[in-house]
RNA sequence: CGGCCCGUAGCUCAGUCGGUAGAGUCCUCGCCUGAUAAGCGGGAGGUCGGAGGUUCGAUCCCUCCUGGGCCGACCA
């Protein structure tokens, strides 16, 4: 590593661990550890350091963080562009979506961060360079709102009074307040990402690239000025985004129980519009009286039938929808009515009516004399479930009204400003807030007898997320990007993206693209990238879109390099003379901050002003990952801009993660405190465990995840479980290797990292399994399917610990039978190699533990290759390095199922596995299975503790056969006849079934059934110790001979002695002992058998053995009490006392 | 109101290209242990959200309903 880079780290730097705390042994004197080589020792010792007395995962992780920091491991990973052999690393391109820097990271960020860490780490290990630049979204309403409230400002008037320069300065100063905390949490999670070389959307260079992007769209004619009906918060004096509207106060509807907008009481007016061509009225309903002065049309559904009535009481003649009439009558709002006629809506279309209020009468006719406004129009959105079926139209104040107005060519009249105040065009109410004007408007209508009915209504209505005041909808001038013409290209390009999960791309995202609407990308705000449009104050059609800083300086006559910033305070004052003799001034709007994050692939590198070639080479991204909520957010804006600019997708692969909910299934809420503090979880169980926990869920496939074991889990118990199942097994395997290798003086050599010829099937088996595991993991990483990583890892850990190590345990403590022990060497080498490979393959997921293992197993032992001072610089293992033997893997599977069956039989019969039995009989009809059984005989003997494995292909004596139809096959073939055949199969006799089992066929209900058509089930015959699973049957011989009985007792004695050994010598598994036992009766008889004593000595590492009778003074009252230095055990009711002394004083 | 996802054991979730449902955890009983804040096994626990339809057969496919989540639209 370091030598080539000329750094000062000596090769022999050790990573060592003190019992309670963990630290790096950079400073040897401070380290003071037990097996650090002394000063001046440059070569590492070859044996492993002792395992720590206790495992402290968070402590271990902090030590690793120190190690990474000291060796600049992270920095080298982020920036190294060559491989150890000097060849260039190809780029794997990753884009990091910028979070708002105005809040602290939560679990959603930790999850996304873990995904964004795992994939790049994998590709790094595959020899790629992965640039990972952290990004910050600095602009937008969140920070503006924050600053506004901190400065005590309320609304746009306040901000403008305070001054945009000062306001923006406050935003700039405040926006990065949480970055240090973000950095701390991200690093603690083990995520490697470049904070030093980050990007910010408020950077001068970033903003200039945004201008360039916009300029490209402008040049292609994709930008236009239009109107859009937006929700406006009059209190804030600003339009709100849909996002902000959705953040508004919510309330559950008392009837439907559905969550929705906060409810509000509004006036409910039914208003009379007088037709000009008939002495009749059209009744229309509204809840917003303030929009009535701006009424320009009435809408009917062309296909709905309307009724013309005479109200008996008043004689008034009116039109409305009959169902609605009945509703008014049933509520007692209108009395008896006489039906005069029925007409379809289409018959009403075009008819003129008298303006309700006089303010806009001028729009009655166009200049050519044709009727313009105040007429009936057709609109299919009109419904008949509320109101009158005739809808009042004020095109400036409703989305639907606006659409109808556009379609009908109606004028757009908006006599209300953003603060909700009427202007002079409505002189009676000018200067009044619209909601306050409601009252006056109602009074006037009442006075003029234009009110049919007055009531109130309580309905859900959007409210401002900050002031809780009701929002107003009004048409505002905004800048749009044309997206609709791009739809086809958007959809096409989407097909080139690999989505995980697939359905998001095809479903949610695809549907969204197909219905994409033009993008309103301007905002009437302050702290954002300004739209680079200058416009003539005399001729509004003369506009100039500025593409770069240099162009602006040129236009404004400024010296190159004058401009240092592009925010409003720096450029709003810039102007120049226009062609029409006026002045070119900047329009006031800033960009939607989604436009900025969508420009990130270009803007983070100041494209095209810098690094032009580099950026073009690195488009599109290989990989991005964000939450499902970004479907319409970042994913969309990236895709739209990339399609518009380059007609290709912005990213090739994307992982979409689901939302993390609290354990109770609700949203995580600081207020409710319904989730554990992430920092606490990390400090209790470690980041590795949290990463594994987060990844081990369908949340990496876009589905929601409940964080926690149950609703009471506020401490992160769920993560503790992950420690136990996913972290400890690997740790334990490591601990085993180190414990015995140290006891044995075994140390790995360079050859142990590579393939070697292996004699022992157990070694060949685990090697093959490791290969399968690596193949499996590689596939998952390569396809961005992260949810199977941990399950696959758990399976290999089970195989490793509960079969390979368990079965092979004795190989490691076998004493040298003089000379080299080849099998033992291979056992160690295989164990070592498997551990190294497994930990490397999991390094992207468990970066800390695998680093620790790498340091201990490879670096400490001097086996690390060039640049391999961190596991994360190692090559990802390939399956080809591990000799695969599928047959062997199947052999072991068979053996393990026999063992499982046997153990369950012992359980049933209450015969502990310590007691040896004479034989197990295993029956299978399959010659292949029998062959596998023969190969797995040793395992079965050992695990089931039997003396003999008998195999047979005849289970006649053991089980009764039954027959079931193979539904899958027979269903298709027989159809309705299946039921009869099934019934007949039940009634078959043993003889017939035996013949069939031997390879015959069955004739049932006229159907000939072959071997595949019928499934045989085996039921143990009563009274036998037999178990059956599938085609496999086993029987235990439970007859216990005298020899078996004595051997069983001997093993009981051994297992009574071992805990004493462990108690006395907890840290030395190879301690030799002197053994003394006191015993009488049957146990003593056992202990007089030389071969059993020899067995006991070998098992307990006893160099001497002495059997004594109980001294009489131990049992003065009939019960035995032994001195304190002895242990007393009871085996089959007989007491035995045990004394252990070390061979040499410990 | 629309789009997408989800509803399976007390809890967290697999799964089934349609053939009679499985893991982990909890509870309980037992076994095993010269690595293990261990390991293994037995038991208990489910009309696979509801109702129709297609089919010999539906937890799986279709329709409707219902509950939850996300995104979006609307509320005259």
């Amino acid at each position: 590593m370091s030598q080539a880079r000329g750094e000062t780290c000596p090769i022999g730097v050790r990573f060592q661990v003190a019992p309670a705390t963990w630290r790096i042994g950079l400073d040897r004197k401070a380290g003071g550890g037990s097996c650090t080589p002394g000063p001046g020792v440059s070569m590492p010792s070859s044996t492993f350091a002792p395992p720590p007395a206790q495992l402290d995962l968070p402590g271990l992780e902090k030590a690793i963080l120190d190690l990474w920091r000291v060796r600049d491991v992270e920095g080298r990973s982020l920036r190294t562009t060559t491989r150890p052999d000097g060849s260039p690393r190809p780029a794997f391109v990753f884009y990091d979506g910028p979070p708002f820097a105005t809040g602290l990271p939560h679990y959603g960020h930790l999850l996304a961060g873990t995904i964004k860490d795992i994939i790049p780490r994998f590709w790094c290990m595959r020899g790629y360079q992965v640039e990972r630049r952290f990004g910050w979204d600095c602009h937008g309403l969140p920070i503006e709102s924050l600053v506004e409230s901190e400065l005590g400002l309320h609304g746009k008037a306040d901000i403008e009074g305070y001054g945009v320069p000062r306001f923006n300065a406050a935003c700039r100063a405040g926006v990065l307040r949480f970055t240090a905390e973000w950095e701390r949490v991200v690093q603690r999670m083990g995520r490697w990402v470049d904070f030093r070389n980050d990007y910010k959307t408020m950077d001068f260079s970033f903003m200039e690239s945004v201008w360039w992007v916009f300029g490209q769209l402008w040049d292609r004619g994709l930008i236009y000025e239009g109107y859009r009906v937006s929700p406006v918060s009059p209190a804030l004096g600003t339009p709100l985004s849909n996002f902000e509207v959705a953040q508004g106060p919510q309330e559950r509807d008392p009837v439907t129980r559905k969550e929705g907008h906060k409810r509000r009481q509004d006036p409910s007016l039914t208003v009379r519009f007088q037709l000009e061509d008939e002495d009749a009225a059209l009744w229309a309903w509204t809840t917003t009286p303030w929009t009535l002065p701006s009424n320009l049309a009435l809408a009917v559904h062309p296909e709905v039938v309307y009724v013309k009535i005479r109200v008996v009481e008043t004689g008034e003649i009116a039109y409305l929808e009959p169902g609605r009439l009945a509703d008014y009558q049933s509520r007692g709002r209108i009395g008896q009515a006489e039906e005069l006629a029925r007409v379809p809506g289409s018959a009403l279309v075009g008819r003129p009516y008298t303006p309700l209020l006089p303010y806009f009468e001028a729009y009655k006719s166009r200049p050519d004399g044709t009727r313009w406004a105040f007429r009936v129009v057709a609109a299919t959105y009109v419904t008949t479930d509320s109101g009158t079926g005739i809808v009042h139209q004020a095109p400036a104040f409703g989305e639907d009204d606006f659409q109808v107005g556009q379609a009908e060519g109606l004028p757009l009249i908006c006599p209300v400003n953003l603060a909700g105040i009427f202007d002079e065009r409505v002189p009676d109410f000018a200067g009044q807030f619209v909601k306050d004007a409601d009252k006056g408007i109602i009074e006037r209508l009442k006075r003029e007898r234009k009110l049919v009915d007055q009531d109130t209504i309580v309905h859900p209505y959007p409210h401002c997320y900050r002031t809780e005041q009701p929002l107003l909808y009004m048409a505002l001038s905004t800048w749009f990007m044309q997206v609709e013409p791009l739809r086809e290209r958007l959809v096409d390009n989407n097909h080139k993206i690999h989505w995980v999960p697939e359905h998001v791309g095809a479903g949610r995202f695809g549907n969204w693209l197909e219905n994409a609407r033009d993008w309103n990308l301007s905002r009437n705000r302050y702290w954002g990238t300004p739209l680079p449009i200058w416009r003539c104050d005399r001729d509004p059609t003369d506009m100039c879109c500025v593409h770069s800083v240099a162009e602006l300086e040129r236009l404004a006559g400024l010296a190159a390099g004058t401009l240092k910033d592009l925010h409003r305070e720096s450029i709003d004052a810039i102007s120049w003379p226009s062609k029409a003799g006026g002045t070119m001034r900047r329009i006031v709007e800033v960009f939607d901050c989604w436009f900025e994050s969508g420009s990130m692939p270009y803007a983070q590198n100041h494209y095209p002003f810098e690094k032009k070639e580099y950026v073009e080479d690195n488009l599109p991204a290989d990989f991005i990952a964000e939450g499902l909520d970004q479907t319409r957010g970042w994913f969309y804006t990236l895709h739209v801009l990339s399609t518009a600019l380059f007609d290709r997708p912005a990213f090739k692969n994307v992982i979409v993660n689901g939302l993390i909910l609290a354990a109770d299934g609700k949203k995580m809420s600081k207020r409710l405190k319904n989730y554990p503090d992430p920092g606490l979880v990390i400090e209790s169980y470690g980041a590795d465990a949290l990463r594994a926990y987060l990844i081990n869920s369908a949340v990496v496939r876009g589905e929601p995840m409940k964080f926690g074991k149950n609703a009471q889990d506020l401490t992160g118990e769920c993560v503790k479980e992950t420690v136990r199942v996913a972290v400890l097994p690997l740790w334990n395997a490591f601990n085993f290797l180190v414990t015995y290798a140290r006891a044995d003086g075994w140390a790995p050599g360079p050859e142990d990292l590579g393939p070697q010829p292996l004699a022992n099937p157990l070694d060949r088996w685990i090697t093959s399994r490791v290969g399968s595991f690596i193949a499996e993991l590689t596939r998952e990483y390569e396809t961005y399917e992260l949810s199977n990583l941990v399950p696959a890892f758990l399976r290999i850990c089970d195989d490793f610990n509960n079969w390979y190590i368990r079965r092979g345990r004795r190989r490691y403590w076998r004493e040298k039978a003089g000379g080299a022990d080849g099998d033992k060497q291979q056992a160690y080498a295989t164990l070592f190699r498997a551990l190294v490979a497994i930990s490397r393959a999991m390094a992207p997921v468990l970066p800390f533990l695998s680093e620790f293992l790498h340091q201990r197993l490879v670096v400490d032992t001097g086996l690390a290759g060039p640049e391999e001072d961190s596991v994360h610089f190692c090559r990802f293992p390939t399956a080809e390095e591990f000799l695969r033997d599928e047959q062997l893997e199947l052999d072991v599977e068979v053996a393990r199922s026999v063992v499982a069956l046997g153990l369950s039989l012992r359980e049933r019969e209450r015969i502990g596995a310590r007691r040896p039995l004479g034989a197990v009989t295993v029956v299978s009809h399959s010659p292949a299975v029998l062959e596998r059984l023969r190969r797995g005989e040793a395992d079965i003997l050992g695990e089931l503790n039997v003396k003999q494995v008998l195999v047979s292909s005849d289970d006649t004596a053991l089980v009764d056969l039954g027959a079931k139809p193979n539904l899958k096959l027979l269903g298709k073939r027989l159809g309705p006849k299946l039921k009869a055949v099934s019934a007949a199969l039940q009634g078959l006799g043993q003889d017939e079934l035996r013949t069939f089992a031997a390879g015959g066929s069955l004739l049932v209900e006229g159907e000939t059934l072959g071997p595949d058509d019928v499934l045989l089930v085996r039921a143990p015959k009563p009274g036998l110790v037999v178990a059956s699973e599938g085609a496999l049957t086993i029987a235990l011989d439970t007859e216990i001979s005298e020899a078996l009985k004595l051997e069983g007792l001997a093993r009981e004695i051994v297992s009574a002695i071992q805990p004493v050994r462990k108690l006395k010598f907890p840290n030395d598994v190879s301690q030799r002992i002197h053994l003394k036992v006191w015993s009488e009766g049957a146990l003593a008889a056992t202990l007089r058998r030389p071969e059993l004593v020899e067995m006991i000595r070998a098992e307990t590492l006893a160099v001497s053995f002495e059997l004594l009778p109980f001294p009489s003074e131990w049992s003065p009252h009939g019960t035995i009490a032994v001195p304190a230095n002895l242990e007393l055990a009871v085996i089959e009711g007989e007491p035995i006392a045990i004394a252990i002394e070390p061979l040499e004083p410990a």
Side-chain angles (χ1 to χ4, degrees):
Chain A
M1 53 156 268
S2 42
Q3 288 154 321
R5 298 166 56 88
E7 294 183 4
T8 53
C9 271
I11 285 185
V13 163
R14 295 291 305 271
F15 175 66
Q16 59 170 250
V17 176
T21 58
W22 303 71
R23 53 182 182 266
I24 310 172
L26 270 182
D27 175 351
R28 294 212 176 85
K29 282 170 196 153
S34 45
C35 81
T36 313
V41 177
S42 59
M43 285 303 291
S45 71
S46 50
T47 52
F48 302 112
Q54 60 197 52
L55 174 58
D56 165 21
L57 285 170
L60 179 148
E61 293 183 352
K62 283 180 194 157
I64 296 287
L65 285 171
D66 281 343
L67 176 86
W68 286 346
R69 187 171 41 74
V70 168
R71 295 186 188 166
D72 188 28
V73 174
E74 178 176 353
R76 284 189 283 141
S77 168
L78 293 168
R79 286 180 271 273
T80 300
T81 55
T82 55
R83 294 178 174 167
D85 64 6
S87 63
R89 288 173 172 262
F92 178 88
V93 182
F94 166 72
Y95 296 158
D96 196 2
F100 277 122
T102 47
L104 290 172
H106 53 68
Y107 283 105
H109 295 120
L110 301 188
L111 168 65
T114 300
I115 297 170
K116 292 176 189 182
D117 191 51
I118 289 175
I119 296 293
R121 277 185 194 274
F122 170 73
W123 288 100
C124 273
M125 293 179 81
R126 292 280 288 254
Y128 288 76
Q129 197 224 347
V130 189
E131 196 178 78
R132 283 154 276 178
R133 298 179 62 190
F134 202 87
W136 300 103
D137 196 347
C138 305
H139 290 146
L141 219 49
I143 179 65
E144 285 201 33
S145 299
L146 203 65
V147 169
E148 221 177 311
S149 64
E150 281 169 6
L151 294 176
L153 305 175
H154 298 284
K156 294 178 74 171
D158 276 7
I159 295 172
E160 284 174 25
Y162 184 78
V164 173
R166 282 170 72 200
F167 181 77
N168 275 1
C171 290
R172 188 195 303 271
V175 70
L176 296 176
R177 67 185 73 184
F178 291 120
T179 53
E181 181 65 9
W182 266 89
E183 194 169 335
R184 199 189 63 75
V185 173
V186 167
Q187 286 189 334
R188 183 60 190 82
M189 276 298 283
R191 181 176 173 204
W192 283 357
V193 60
D194 200 339
F195 281 104
R196 219 166 68 199
N197 185 29
D198 60 6
Y199 71 88
K200 302 184 187 73
T201 59
M202 66 178 180
D203 287 342
F204 186 49
S205 60
F206 194 100
M207 291 168 73
E208 186 179 28
S209 290
V210 171
W211 276 13
W212 174 83
V213 171
F214 183 77
Q216 295 301 301
L217 304 177
W218 178 276
D219 293 347
R220 289 169 209 204
L222 291 174
I223 303 296
Y224 69 95
E225 185 181 20
Y227 287 88
R228 180 191 177 93
V229 175
S230 309
V232 168
S233 169
L236 299 178
T238 172
L240 300 185
S241 65
N242 288 323
F243 176 71
E244 291 157 335
V245 173
Q247 282 190 306
Q250 301 283 300
E251 190 175 316
R252 201 174 277 278
D253 186 296
V255 179
T256 66
R257 308 300 304 155
K258 285 205 170 183
E259 190 77 11
H261 293 304
K262 180 176 152 182
R263 297 163 65 77
R264 150 175 188 88
Q265 184 176 350
D266 271 318
S268 166
L269 301 186
T270 308
V271 182
R272 175 177 294 130
F273 290 84
Q274 183 64 44
L275 282 167
E276 289 185 351
D277 57 352
E278 182 186 355
D279 184 16
L282 299 168
W283 289 356
W285 178 64
T286 184
T287 59
T288 52
W290 61 272
T291 61
L292 289 172
S294 313
N295 170 275
L296 293 176
L298 293 170
V300 296
H301 196 294
E303 284 142 35
V304 165
V305 171
Y306 291 81
V307 65
K308 180 177 169 184
I309 57 161
R310 176 185 292 120
V311 180
V312 173
E313 198 182 327
T314 62
E316 178 185 7
I317 295 173
Y319 288 90
L320 76 166
E321 196 273 327
R324 302 310 311 156
L325 170 64
D327 180 72
Y328 273 79
Q329 288 175 321
S330 71
R331 287 186 288 119
R333 314 303 301 190
I334 292 169
Q336 287 297 102
E338 183 187 341
E339 180 174 326
L340 301 177
R342 289 201 173 220
V343 291
S346 53
L348 294 169
V349 169
R351 299 185 59 181
Y353 64 86
T354 310
L356 185 72
L357 293 163
Y359 312 112
F360 299 103
E361 276 179 328
Y363 293 94
K364 240 167 138 172
S365 307
R366 297 190 185 85
D368 63 5
T370 55
R371 188 76 180 190
W372 195 1
F374 307 107
R375 59 189 160 94
V376 178
V377 298
T380 48
Y381 83 90
V382 171
T383 65
T384 57
D385 28 78
S386 63
T388 61
I390 300 174
V391 182
H392 144 62
Q393 298 287 297
F397 299 116
E399 171 77 20
D400 289 326
D401 304 41
F402 179 79
Q403 298 298 341
V404 169
Q406 293 293 101
E408 295 287 336
L410 295 173
L412 187 70
I413 294 167
C414 183
V416 176
N417 70 13
L418 283 174
I421 310 286
F422 275 116
D423 65 24
E424 299 70 29
R425 286 177 286 175
V426 185
D428 298 319
F429 304 102
Q432 276 193 42
F433 179 54
V434 292
K435 286 282 177 189
D436 299 334
D438 275 355
K439 205 175 165 191
I441 292 168
I442 294 168
E443 272 168 18
R444 172 164 182 173
L445 294 177
K446 213 183 274 179
R447 208 163 53 234
E448 296 179 358
R449 303 191 176 284
K450 289 174 176 164
L451 218 46
V452 178
D453 181 45
Q454 179 185 359
D455 198 356
T456 57
I457 182 175
V458 176
H459 59 165
Y461 192 85
H463 289 71
C464 177
Y465 71 110
R466 287 188 50 215
T467 64
E468 302 230 344
Q469 294 306 302
L471 302 180
L472 309 178
Y473 283 83
M474 57 177 78
L476 301 174
S477 153
T478 50
W479 295 86
F480 285 88
M481 169 182 171
Q482 284 193 6
V483 178
E484 287 165 34
L486 293 176
R487 276 182 194 167
E488 198 186 314
R489 298 307 311 143
L490 290 171
V491 171
D492 264 15
N493 285 332
N494 183 36
H495 291 146
K496 300 171 191 160
I497 299 172
H498 172 219
W499 288 84
V500 177
E502 213 175 332
H503 67 75
V504 175
R508 184 183 283 210
F509 195 69
N511 293 343
W512 179 248
L513 294 179
E514 282 168 21
N515 300 304
R517 289 170 59 177
D518 288 354
W519 179 7
N520 165 216
L521 42 75
S522 66
R523 296 287 180 269
N524 288 292
R525 295 300 309 184
Y526 307 94
W527 176 241
T529 302
L531 259 70
I533 299 174
W534 271 255
R535 172 179 244 170
C536 173
D537 55 6
R538 288 206 187 156
D539 172 13
T541 63
D542 180 14
M543 288 184 280
C544 173
C545 172
V546 176
H547 296 63
S548 67
V549 174
E551 185 184 350
L552 179 58
E553 287 168 339
R554 198 172 61 246
L555 287 165
L558 298 168
T562 310
L563 284 171
K564 305 285 186 220
D565 178 62
L566 291 181
H567 285 92
R568 284 187 58 176
E569 65 275 20
S570 303
I571 63 164
D572 275 2
I574 293 177
S575 64
W576 59 90
S578 74
K579 292 178 203 125
T583 306
M584 297 296 280
R585 297 186 194 283
R586 201 187 77 79
I587 62 168
V588 296
E589 285 90 345
V590 300
F591 279 102
D592 173 7
C593 56
W594 287 114
F595 189 86
E596 301 174 55
S597 46
S599 304
M600 163 273 175
Y602 329 105
Q604 68 166 343
N605 285 310
H606 198 201
Y607 182 82
F609 308 102
E610 289 177 63
K611 296 168 116 179
K612 191 161 188 297
E613 219 169 290
Y614 170 83
V615 171
E616 282 165 11
D617 287 347
N618 285 296
L619 296 174
D622 289 297
F623 169 67
I624 64 171
E626 301 292 335
L628 188 58
D629 51 345
Q630 294 298 329
T631 314
R632 265 81 154 166
W634 195 50
F635 296 150
Y636 178 68
T637 59
L638 279 176
H639 190 65
V640 164
L641 293 182
S642 179
T643 298
L645 295 178
F646 299 104
D647 191 25
R648 66 179 170 203
F651 47 90
K652 295 181 197 163
N653 301 283
V654 54
I655 297 180
V656 186
N657 67 268
L659 197 76
I660 299 189
L661 304 169
D664 55 10
K666 297 189 182 124
K667 275 190 184 179
M668 286 189 172
S669 151
K670 274 185 196 156
R671 190 171 49 80
L672 295 176
K673 281 200 184 354
N674 58 354
Y675 63 95
D677 171 39
L680 188 75
V681 172
I682 297 174
E683 290 318 318
S684 307
Y685 307 114
D688 273 349
L690 180 55
R691 289 165 67 107
Y693 175 76
L694 290 172
I695 283 303
N696 187 20
S697 149
V699 78
V700 293
R701 290 199 309 261
E703 281 172 32
M705 169 195 201
K706 289 182 202 166
F707 188 96
K709 268 169 81 169
N710 52 51
Q712 286 76 47
D713 178 6
L714 293 180
T715 58
E717 280 283 308
C718 51
V719 179
K720 183 178 187 176
E721 199 175 302
T722 304
V723 172
R724 194 169 60 73
V725 303
V727 179
L728 286 177
L730 195 60
W731 169 263
N732 293 334
F734 159 77
N735 209 36
F736 176 87
L737 169 65
V738 170
T739 301
Y740 286 98
R742 284 177 56 79
D744 245 340
W746 183 83
E751 69 284 356
D752 294 327
L753 284 169
Q756 294 178 46
L758 297 169
N760 191 314
L762 198 56
D763 293 334
R764 292 206 306 270
W765 172 74
I766 193 65
T767 301
S768 176
R769 276 290 297 125
V770 168
S772 303
F773 166 69
I774 288 168
E776 190 177 1
L777 275 202
T778 305
R779 195 167 54 244
E780 306 290 347
Y781 283 123
E782 283 178 345
T783 55
Y784 302 87
E785 296 281 355
L786 302 187
S787 60
N788 193 33
L789 296 177
V790 172
F793 174 60
L794 300 186
R795 286 191 292 272
I796 192 72
C797 283
D798 179 66
D799 285 344
F800 198 42
N801 286 320
N802 296 332
W803 193 258
Y804 177 71
I805 292 181
R806 181 183 159 81
R807 285 303 309 142
R809 222 165 7 193
R810 282 159 188 275
R811 300 166 68 201
Y812 301 93
W813 72 66
R814 185 168 52 211
E815 288 188 66
K816 285 190 188 113
D821 184 340
D823 182 69
K824 189 193 237 180
Q825 157 62 25
Q826 286 187 8
Y828 274 116
T830 305
L831 178 62
F832 172 77
R833 183 165 180 244
L835 196 52
V836 168
I838 293 170
S839 65
R840 280 187 190 178
M842 287 306 286
V845 177
L846 306 172
F848 293 103
L849 181 60
S850 41
E851 182 73 285
F852 174 80
L853 297 183
H854 176 73
Q855 296 298 325
R856 279 304 179 79
L857 297 175
V858 180
V859 176
D860 285 1
T861 51
L863 300 180
E867 295 283 348
E868 282 186 352
D869 58 326
S870 163
V871 70
H872 303 290
F873 295 143
C874 294
R875 209 173 33 77
F876 195 85
T878 61
E880 291 69 38
E881 300 162 52
F882 295 84
L883 191 62
R884 307 279 284 283
D885 185 342
E886 277 175 37
Q887 291 309 312
L888 183 55
E889 291 192 35
L890 289 170
D891 289 352
V892 172
E893 264 177 44
V894 170
R896 287 185 79 170
S897 42
V898 169
V899 168
L901 267 179
L903 289 175
S904 88
L905 265 184
R906 274 183 175 271
E907 162 81 14
R908 206 178 78 197
E909 300 296 321
R910 302 274 147 172
I911 306 170
R914 269 200 298 263
R915 299 307 186 96
L917 292 176
V920 60
T921 306
V922 187
V923 187
S924 169
H925 293 309
S926 155
V929 169
L930 293 179
E931 191 50 41
R932 292 190 197 291
L933 286 169
R934 273 188 273 277
R935 286 193 293 264
E937 185 183 23
D939 291 330
I940 297 169
L941 288 174
E943 288 298 300
L944 285 183
N945 194 16
V946 293
K947 296 294 170 201
Q948 208 181 356
V949 177
L950 304 169
V951 296
S952 161
S953 57
D954 178 15
D955 54 10
T956 311
L958 302 176
V959 294
D960 288 326
L961 290 179
K964 285 205 308 196
N966 183 349
L967 294 168
K968 206 162 189 168
L969 279 176
L970 291 184
K972 288 202 177 77
R973 198 168 99 204
L974 302 181
K977 203 174 173 185
L978 184 62
K979 277 179 181 156
V981 171
S982 296
L985 280 173
Q986 303 273 327
L988 291 176
Q990 287 297 306
D991 292 345
E992 283 169 282
L993 291 172
R994 287 286 164 200
T995 315
F996 174 72
S1001 61
L1002 287 169
L1003 186 65
V1004 179
E1005 297 284 313
E1007 296 289 337
T1008 307
L1009 304 180
D1012 292 337
D1013 299 328
V1014 176
L1015 304 171
L1016 290 172
V1017 288
R1018 291 168 172 81
K1021 291 199 173 177
L1024 293 178
V1025 185
V1026 170
S1028 215
E1029 190 185 81
L1032 208 57
T1033 298
I1034 78 163
L1036 276 180
D1037 177 358
T1038 54
E1039 194 169 305
I1040 296 168
S1041 65
E1042 184 63 17
L1044 289 174
K1045 183 180 173 191
L1046 289 180
E1047 185 185 336
L1049 286 176
R1051 295 198 42 169
E1052 296 285 357
I1053 293 166
V1054 167
S1055 77
I1057 296 167
Q1058 299 295 19
V1060 183
R1061 261 190 65 89
K1062 188 163 180 176
L1063 196 70
K1064 286 211 162 190
F1065 316 108
N1067 293 322
D1068 193 350
V1069 292
S1070 57
Q1071 175 69 49
R1072 276 17 183 205
I1073 58 167
H1074 294 291
L1075 178 62
K1076 263 192 221 181
V1077 298
W1078 290 262
S1079 173
E1080 289 166 357
L1083 286 182
T1086 304
L1087 293 169
R1088 281 187 203 99
R1089 296 274 188 124
E1091 77 279 10
L1092 294 180
V1093 169
E1094 186 49 40
M1095 188 270 277
I1096 292 171
R1097 282 196 340 103
E1099 290 289 307
T1100 59
L1101 299 181
V1103 291
S1104 70
F1105 173 81
E1106 210 174 334
L1107 173 64
L1108 303 162
F1110 284 111
S1112 54
E1113 64 266 27
W1114 287 3
S1115 46
H1117 311 294
T1119 52
I1120 292 178
V1122 298
N1125 60 333
L1126 303 189
E1127 294 291 327
L1128 184 67
V1130 177
I1131 296 169
E1132 294 210 332
E1134 293 190 36
I1136 178 168
I1138 300 158
I1140 286 178
E1141 293 300 331
L1143 179 58
E1144 292 147 6

